[in-house]
């Protein structure tokens, strides 16, 4: 008997009653693992000025503390998904959590800027290994529709609220402790997540036939990494910069080659059936577009509160807490309860419209706007909308996927989120900067930089509003999945050895 057969045998005799009782504790371990990833997307941003001064980094190198993480994370997600399918999801999750904690500790002890940048890249590598296994395990652990909706509600609340909590935590840690604790904070989270994962999560065996697609990894992961970097550079240098054009052109070439390869290879990194399904493909697009708006607004609200209204880092973090609270409410109390009863688009479209209403309020932003009258209602609507739409969107994106493709499907959800965040930050930041410059030129010194800056925010909010409304229309047309209707069983896939003989 082979090792794979023995592992399959162990998985087959797992007591279902015991598994049912402990899976909610397993969900806690998954949520902690995902929280560690999303926290580090934003927590270091608040700490970056202190880290730059302490380590003597130049302004040019400073951005790499953020970019190194997003490049490694976004670029390697698809490969991480296939590794998850091959190695087994529990093993991959535990490896990712431990590795993330180790490199976080190295980053906290950094004695130079490049040491910190290297640690951030390491975080991105282990995040790309960890993220696909979290969602894939969740889907496998909760096959029943109503319980899966609750579980996805908790998962998506962590996924979308983690960025806001990172801003709050970064402000508090930087103000009252030291920037290094923004890295060290991952260690206790990782200890809890590791212990919880080992003691509660099921351990289904990996697939030995899930081959590594080397050409797909080079073109697909490389294309996504170059795309993320290109948009990051656009945010810094503007869309007209030669480097931006070269990067985006190279990304387009790599991704086109990637798609052609995936259509021809027997063991592709990303089976195209995952993204060409009408409902699932639109769900991936919705994740990207909704994240685009969310991260763009996070950026503008942070600048508005700190730069324009003079809030401290801590006060800014506290001022953003209502957005996080409403996000959790929308995910856990609205969508997770209604998803088993309603078609997903009847939750996704209202969620997008609520987010659009938030952006409509922010189009009226002025330097004298009141927090209570303008920013707070916008925050609450955005949090409620994003929380409400993410649960059904993730459910559609992961439903009907063959079990052997669970890791790569989960990786695609995370890739859509990462690409959306990168594009949103760069695109809306560039639009805001251009509108600010135009406003100053048109008024010939008749207005202050403060007025022009806020005008730029309102123009960017107008673009984000259009994106949200357009996405709502696309969802209404293309997503027609209904969890209340049984799905016809698919024909069993041919064994890998039979495919190889063809």
């Amino acid at each position: 008997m082979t090792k794979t057969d023995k592992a399959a045998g162990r998985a087959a005799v797992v007591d279902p009653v015991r598994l049912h009782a402990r899976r909610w504790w397993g969900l806690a371990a998954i949520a902690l693992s995902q929280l560690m990833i999303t926290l580090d997307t934003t927590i270091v941003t608040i700490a970056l000025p202190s880290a730059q001064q302490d380590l003597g980094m130049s302004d040019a190198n400073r951005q790499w503390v953020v970019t190194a993480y997003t490049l490694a994370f976004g670029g390697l997600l698809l490969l991480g998904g296939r590794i998850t399918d091959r190695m087994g999801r529990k093993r991959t999750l535990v490896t990712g959590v431990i590795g993330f904690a180790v490199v976080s500790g190295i980053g906290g002890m950094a004695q130079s800027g490049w040491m910190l940048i290297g640690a951030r890249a390491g975080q991105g590598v282990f995040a790309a290994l960890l993220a696909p296994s979290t969602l894939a395990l969740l889907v496998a652990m909760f096959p029943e529709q109503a319980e899966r909706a609750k579980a996805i509600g908790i998962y998506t609340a962590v996924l979308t609220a983690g960025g806001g909590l990172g801003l709050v935590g970064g402000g508090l840690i930087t103000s009252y402790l030291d920037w290094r604790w923004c890295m060290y904070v991952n260690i206790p989270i990782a200890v809890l997540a590791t212990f919880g994962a080992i003691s509660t999560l099921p351990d289904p065996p990996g697939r030995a036939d899930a081959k590594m697609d080397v050409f797909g990894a080079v073109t697909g992961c490389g294309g996504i990494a170059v795309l993320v970097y290109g948009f990051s550079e656009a945010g810094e240098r503007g869309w007209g910069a030669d480097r931006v054009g070269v990067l985006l052109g190279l990304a387009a070439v790599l991704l086109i080659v990637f798609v052609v390869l995936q259509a021809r290879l027997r063991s592709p990194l990303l089976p195209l059936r995952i993204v060409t399904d009408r409902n699932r493909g639109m769900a991936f697009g919705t994740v990207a577009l909704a994240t685009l708006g969310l991260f763009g607004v996070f950026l503008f609200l942070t600048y508005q509160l700190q730069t324009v209204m003079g809030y401290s880092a801590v006060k800014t973090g506290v001022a953003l807490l209502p957005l996080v609270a409403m996000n959790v409410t929308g995910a856990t109390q609205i969508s997770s309860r209604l998803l088993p009863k309603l078609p997903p688009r009847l939750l996704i479209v209202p969620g997008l419209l609520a987010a659009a209403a938030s952006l409509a309020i922010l189009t009226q932003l002025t330097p004298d706007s009141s927090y209570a009258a303008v920013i707070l209602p916008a925050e609450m609507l955005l949090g409620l909308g994003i929380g409400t739409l993410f649960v059904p969107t993730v459910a559609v994106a992961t439903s009907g996927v063959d079990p052997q493709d669970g890791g790569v499907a989960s990786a695609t959800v995370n890739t859509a989120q990462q690409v959306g965040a990168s594009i949103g930050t760069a695109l809306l930041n560039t639009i805001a900067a251009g509108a600010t410059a135009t406003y100053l030129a048109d008024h010939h010194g008749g207005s202050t930089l403060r007025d022009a800056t806020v005008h730029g925010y309102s123009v960017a909010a107008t673009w984000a509003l259009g994106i949200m409304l357009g996405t709502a229309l696309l969802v209404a047309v293309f997503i027609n999945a209904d969890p209340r209707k049984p799905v016809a069983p698919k024909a069993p896939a041919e064994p890998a050895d039979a495919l190889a003989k063809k």
Side-chain angles (χ1 to χ4, degrees), residues 102 107 199 212 215 238 270 300 428 499:
V102 170
S199 59
M212 292 295 104
F215 293 109
L270 174 62
F300 298 142
L428 297 182
L499 289 173

Side-chain angles (χ1 to χ4, degrees), residues 213 256-266 268 270-272:
D213 173 12
I256 290 171
V257 173
F258 172 72
V259 172
V260 172
L261 287 173
Q262 300 310 286
R264 295 174 177 271
L265 294 174
R266 291 177 178 173
L270 174 62
L272 294 184

Side-chain angles (χ1 to χ4, degrees), residues 7 10-16 18-30 84 87-94 133-143 195-206:
R10 288 195 301 270
V13 298
V14 172
D15 183 358
R18 183 183 177 192
L19 177 60
H20 186 278
R22 69 185 184 184
R23 60 182 172 169
W24 290 103
W25 289 107
L27 177 61
I30 289 172
T84 295
M87 288 181 56
R89 294 158 191 174
K90 180 176 179 177
R91 183 185 304 175
T92 308
L93 185 142
V94 171
S133 59
T134 58
L135 186 53
L137 278 166
L138 183 152
V139 172
M141 288 167 58
F142 295 90
F195 176 78
I198 292 173
S199 59
T200 64
L201 293 179
D203 191 15

Side-chain angles (χ1 to χ4, degrees), residues 338-378:
L338 295 179
L339 181 59
K341 304 174 183 178
L342 296 174
R345 65 179 170 188
L346 293 187
L347 292 169
I348 301 173
V349 171
L352 286 164
L353 293 178
S358 164
L359 293 163
I361 294 173
L362 293 177
T363 61
Q364 307 303 310
L365 204 62
T366 70
D368 301 317
S369 291
S370 163
Y371 172 79
V374 178
I375 296 177
L376 180 59

Side-chain angles (χ1 to χ4, degrees), residues 27-102:
L27 177 61
I30 289 172
L32 280 173
S33 303
Q34 185 62 47
L35 177 63
M36 190 168 60
I37 297 172
T38 52
L39 274 177
D40 277 72
T41 304
T42 56
I43 193 170
V44 174
T45 303
I46 299 295
L48 190 52
S50 298
Q52 179 184 6
Q53 182 177 5
D54 190 20
L55 299 177
M57 285 187 287
S58 66
D59 289 341
N61 290 336
R62 176 184 62 186
Q63 66 164 329
W64 281 101
V65 176
V66 176
T67 305
Y69 180 77
T70 57
L71 279 182
F73 187 17
L76 295 175
L77 267 168
L78 289 179
L79 182 60
R82 187 48 81 197
I83 292 173
T84 295
D85 290 331
R86 183 178 176 86
M87 288 181 56
R89 294 158 191 174
K90 180 176 179 177
R91 183 185 304 175
T92 308
L93 185 142
V94 171
T95 302
V97 169
I98 294 174
F100 199 100
V102 170

